[in-house]
């Protein structure tokens, strides 16, 4: 067989994605600002501390319960800024449109972007449009980049976890992926699940302002909680034990997962973050996040431990433990 | 969630754990039980069942995943079909990453072949209906659980006069494979956790030869922690009392007579044929071939006598016979991982190596 090619699984956010980024991008772009592979790069321009990020959106279907590609493109980029402790300020909007795309749908998507940017308190200040021949793109792809100034409250962020630190999740996991899956052609699932797609600015602020020390914070997107936590522990000499029963999962999301043989811990969200905070602050962080509009199910779901260095373990309700690996490939439904 | 939560509560799990330990104390030796359904393998690891069991009871994984046992020749044939621009291949997701001798369907798709993952064979039929220029072939892989739905789809295609729909049958049946397994000279097993889903179709009766001829403890099991523990308890007690039978501990789904309607559909469309199993070789009458009257809806699968290609260090064959554990394989976790699977047991998410890798059954401390 000829040379290696890119497969869909390279885009799943799991191990193959990481290999693509580390093996290819880092090889060609030699920047100490890129190397940490954080959600945003932290820049210092003449003493001005900024966060800068970019993300592309290729969701299928374009409209799903609780959101659409436009809303996702705004909030996704806003969230990448928020979780590094920045106040999102300006974003860009680049559209790659397939020939034949209905302008009525484009209007709906742009209106949704406009509404989302108001909700997240950011301004779309630059953009680009390209149209490609029919069949060369799937309807519409959107890229957004964003910048924000580092907030004063980002000072509690550090990169040194300690045994006993608490793992906090800001709400139920997996809503977004379940909503998109349920809408996909072929499943014919009747469900009331809505995507959790939302800006995390206030939630991130609540975490950072109420903890003494935040050693990790990320939005829970592709690959789900299990994969994101694996990324956290990869560089640590410590591990994480997750209490499965404490992870908030909506009943409908669990049902879809049971039906398709998927694990909610690997399901993507678009308006949730996971943070590792010092144990004494955990309760006040949880309370503060619960006061935000999208943080009502915020829960402490695990602890940092000296066991399982570099690994994430899940504890079942009957106190057995299993290893949670990074997502490998796409989550695919089982056949028997 | 109903039908799930009540089988996952800590208290009944702990009670069953204690009962199993009490029963195991009466064994006087070590016993080895094999689960033969990939769904059981996954559940056992997901819920950490092995750590609840006493030292006397060891669980092994058998050939229960339809993807695990699909030979490379079948994948190769599918890949050759995919080269034809007029062909749309439709498949269940699990088969998507299974390697043939030269790549997987996933690779063919990346190179431009029209390969679509479906959730039901009826979705494949819908593709055929909406795109008459294409020949839509469904890769029909699976045990008695999936075969009836495929049969029903063929009947529907015929009733609706849809001429551009085909299936390539790689279907296999379970009891014959179990016989081949226990007849092999080297098998060290005391009992079987029998598949739940397959049994909903065929009922418990076809496994009767296992206790009668081979003295095997047998129990049909569900997929929740208390289901599996209850089945392990049943098997242990059968060994203790030396009274072997096919017990049914999945009565909420498996009836004594199975599902006659599904079996009738299956036998209208399919007939038994010899079948090649990855890891187990050729097993007479263990496959399902499309009957001649439905040949218009069938693509001939590869000759079953052709052996399945394999890596010389791969231990899947011993694994499927219960003679090795994933961690005994020199390739496990190094050369062979879910991202670059060598053997069938790593490829399928329900394969025993994939489950070991994913859930750390080799020990999360290791």
């Amino acid at each position: 067989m000829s040379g290696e090619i890119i497969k869909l699984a390279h885009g799943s956010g799991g191990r193959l994605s990481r290999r693509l980024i580390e093996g290819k991008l880092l090889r060609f772009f030699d920047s100490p600002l890129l190397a940490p592979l954080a959600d945003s790069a932290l820049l210092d321009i003449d003493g001005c501390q900024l966060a800068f990020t970019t993300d592309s959106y290729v969701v299928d279907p374009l409209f799903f319960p609780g959101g659409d590609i436009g809303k996702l493109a705004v909030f996704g980029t806003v969230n990448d800024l928020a979780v590094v402790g920045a106040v999102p300020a300006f974003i860009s909007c680049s559209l790659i449109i397939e020939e034949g795309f209905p302008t009525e749908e484009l209007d709906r998507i742009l209106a949704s972007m406009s509404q989302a940017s108001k909700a997240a308190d950011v301004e779309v200040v630059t953009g680009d449009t390209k149209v490609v021949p029919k069949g060369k793109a799937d309807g519409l792809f959107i890229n957004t980049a964003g910048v924000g100034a580092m907030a004063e409250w980002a000072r509690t962020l550090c990169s040194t976890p300690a045994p006993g630190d608490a793992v906090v999740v800001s709400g139920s996991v997996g809503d977004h992926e379940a909503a998109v899956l349920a809408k996909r052609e072929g499943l014919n699932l009747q469900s009331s699940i809505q995507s959790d797609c939302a800006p995390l600015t206030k939630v991130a602020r609540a975490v950072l302002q109420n903890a003494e020390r935040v050693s990790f914070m990320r939005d829970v997107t592709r690959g789900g909680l299990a994969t994101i936590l694996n990324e956290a522990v990869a560089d640590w000499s410590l591990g994480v034990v997750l209490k499965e029963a404490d992870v908030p999962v909506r009943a409908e999301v669990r049902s879809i997962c049971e039906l398709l043989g998927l694990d909610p811990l690997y399901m993507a969200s678009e308006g949730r973050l996971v943070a590792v905070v010092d144990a004494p602050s955990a309760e006040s962080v949880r309370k503060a996040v619960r006061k935000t509009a999208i943080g009502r199910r915020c829960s402490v779901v695990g602890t940092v431990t000296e066991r399982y260095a570099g690994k994430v373990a899940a504890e079942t309700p009957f106190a057995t433990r299993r290893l949670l690996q990074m997502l490998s490939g796409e989550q695919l439904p089982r056949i028997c | 969630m109903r039908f799930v939560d009540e089988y996952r509560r800590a208290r009944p799990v702990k009670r069953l754990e204690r009962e199993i330990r009490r029963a195991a104390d009466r064994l006087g030796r070590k016993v080895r039980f094999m689960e033969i359904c990939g769904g059981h393998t996954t559940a056992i690891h997901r819920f950490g069942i092995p750590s609840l069991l006493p030292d006397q009871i060891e669980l092994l994984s058998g050939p229960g995943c339809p993807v695990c046992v699909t030979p490379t020749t079948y994948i190769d044939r599918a890949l050759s079909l995919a080269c034809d621009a007029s062909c749309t291949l439709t498949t269940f997701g699990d088969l998507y990453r299974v390697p043939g001798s030269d790549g997987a369907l996933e690779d063919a798709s990346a190179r431009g072949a029209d390969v679509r993952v479906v959730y039901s064979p009826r979705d494949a039929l819908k593709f055929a209906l909406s795109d008459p220029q294409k020949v839509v072939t469904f890769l029909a892989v699976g045990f008695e659980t999936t075969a009836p739905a495929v049969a029903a789809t063929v009947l529907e295609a015929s009733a609706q006069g849809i001429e551009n729909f085909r299936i390539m049958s790689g279907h296999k049946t379970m009891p014959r494979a179990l016989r081949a397994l226990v007849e092999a000279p080297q098998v060290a097993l005391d009992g079987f956790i029998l598949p739940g889903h397959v049994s909903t179709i065929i009922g418990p009766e076809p496994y009767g030869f296992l206790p009668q001829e081979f003295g095997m403890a047998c129990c049909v099991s569900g997929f929740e922690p208390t289901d599996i523990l209850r089945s392990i308890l049943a098997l242990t007690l059968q060994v203790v009392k030396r009274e072997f039978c096919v017990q049914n501990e999945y009565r909420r789904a498996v009836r004594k007579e199975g599902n006659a309607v599904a079996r009738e559909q299956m036998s209208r469309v399919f007939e038994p044929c010899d079948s090649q199993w990855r890891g187990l070789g050729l097993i007479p009458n263990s496959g399902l071939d499309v009957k001649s009257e439905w040949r218009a809806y069938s693509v001939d699968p590869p000759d079953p006598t052709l052996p399945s290609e394999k890596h010389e260090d791969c231990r899947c064959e011993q694994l499927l016979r219960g003679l090795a554990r994933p961690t005994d394989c020199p390739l496990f976790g190094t050369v062979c991982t879910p991202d670059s699977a060598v053997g069938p047991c790593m490829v399928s998410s329900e394969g025993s190596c994939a489950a070991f890798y994913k859930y750390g059954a080799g020990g999360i401390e290791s």
Side-chain angles (χ1 to χ4, degrees), chain B residues 41-198:
Chain B
T41 308
T42 308
I44 284 167
H45 293 305
R46 178 171 171 199
F47 298 116
I49 303 285
S51 68
L52 297 172
L53 299 179
D55 293 340
Q56 299 97 310
I57 299 176
E58 187 182 0
L59 295 182
L60 300 169
S61 302
C65 160
V67 163
C68 299
V69 294
T70 300
T72 49
T73 48
Y74 184 90
I75 307 292
D76 292 347
R77 178 98 171 90
L79 289 172
S80 73
L81 292 175
C83 292
D84 183 345
S86 69
C87 170
T88 295
L89 277 189
T90 51
T91 175
F92 288 133
D94 276 36
L95 206 60
Y96 198 58
R97 286 204 297 270
V98 180
S101 56
D102 185 23
L105 290 166
E106 172 182 57
D107 303 297
S109 172
R111 293 195 165 80
D114 188 2
V115 183
R116 303 184 200 180
V117 173
V118 294
Y119 302 95
S120 143
R122 292 192 62 177
D123 293 339
L125 191 61
K126 274 188 222 152
F127 286 138
L129 196 60
S130 65
D131 198 351
Q133 305 304 316
K134 289 267 206 167
V135 176
V136 178
T137 302
F138 178 69
L139 300 178
V141 167
F143 293 117
E144 290 92 333
T145 337
T146 40
V150 175
T153 312
V154 168
L155 296 173
E156 195 179 328
S158 162
Q160 290 191 33
I162 301 171
E163 289 175 357
N164 59 331
F165 175 75
R166 310 270 184 281
I167 66 164
M168 179 162 86
S169 176
H171 283 303
K172 299 190 183 326
T173 52
M174 189 59 93
R176 281 281 174 176
L178 287 178
R179 179 175 280 279
L181 200 80
V182 291
E183 278 178 344
Q186 249 198 315
V187 179
L189 293 173
D190 299 283
F192 288 101
I193 298 173
L194 294 170
H197 297 145
V198 166

Side-chain angles (χ1 to χ4, degrees), chain A residues 8 47 58 60 97 100 121 151 183 201 235 242 247 262 265 298 304 314:
Chain A
L8 268 179
V58 295
D60 167 38
I97 313 167
D121 206 15
K183 187 75 198 299
T201 318
D235 305 324
L242 209 60
V247 178
L262 303 175
L265 296 178
C298 178
V304 173

Side-chain angles (χ1 to χ4, degrees), chain A residues 101-138:
Chain A
F101 192 72
T103 50
E104 180 269 330
E105 284 190 18
L106 187 62
D107 286 348
R108 274 168 66 199
I109 289 164
L110 292 175
S112 159
M113 284 186 90
S114 159
Q115 206 180 359
S117 50
K118 283 193 190 85
D121 206 15
V122 291
E123 209 174 324
V124 179
V125 289
T126 181
D128 180 47
T129 55
K130 295 279 189 299
V131 178
V132 296
K134 197 160 186 62
K136 304 290 179 189
D138 192 7

Side-chain angles (χ1 to χ4, degrees), chain A residues 9 11-17 169 171-181 184 196 219-231 233 240 242 244 247-250 253-254 256-258 260-270 272 274 310-315 321-333, chain B residues 42 45-47 97 338-339 349 354-361 364:
Chain A
S12 65
R15 265 199 308 270
L16 282 178
S17 301
V169 167
S172 59
V173 298
D175 300 20
H176 175 73
E177 188 163 342
V180 171
L181 258 178
R184 275 216 182 134
D196 53 16
D219 49 339
V220 182
T221 53
R222 285 176 314 172
L225 187 60
T227 303
I228 306 283
L229 281 174
N230 264 286
E231 288 180 8
V233 300
V240 161
L242 209 60
E244 226 177 348
V247 178
V249 182
R250 283 184 202 285
V253 174
R254 278 189 66 201
I256 284 205
C257 286
E258 288 297 330
L260 297 175
L262 303 175
D263 189 336
L265 296 178
Y266 290 89
M267 299 281 280
S269 307
E270 284 294 342
R272 303 286 182 254
V274 56
K311 292 175 183 168
V312 181
E315 188 173 304
R321 288 181 178 184
R322 64 178 159 111
L323 185 65
L324 288 177
Q325 301 260 6
M326 279 185 121
L327 179 64
S328 166
E330 296 274 335
Q331 287 214 89
L332 295 170
Chain B
T42 308
H45 293 305
R46 178 171 171 199
F47 298 116
R97 286 204 297 270
D339 294 331
S349 61
F356 258 67
Y357 189 87
K358 207 161 143 193
Y359 301 117
I364 31 180

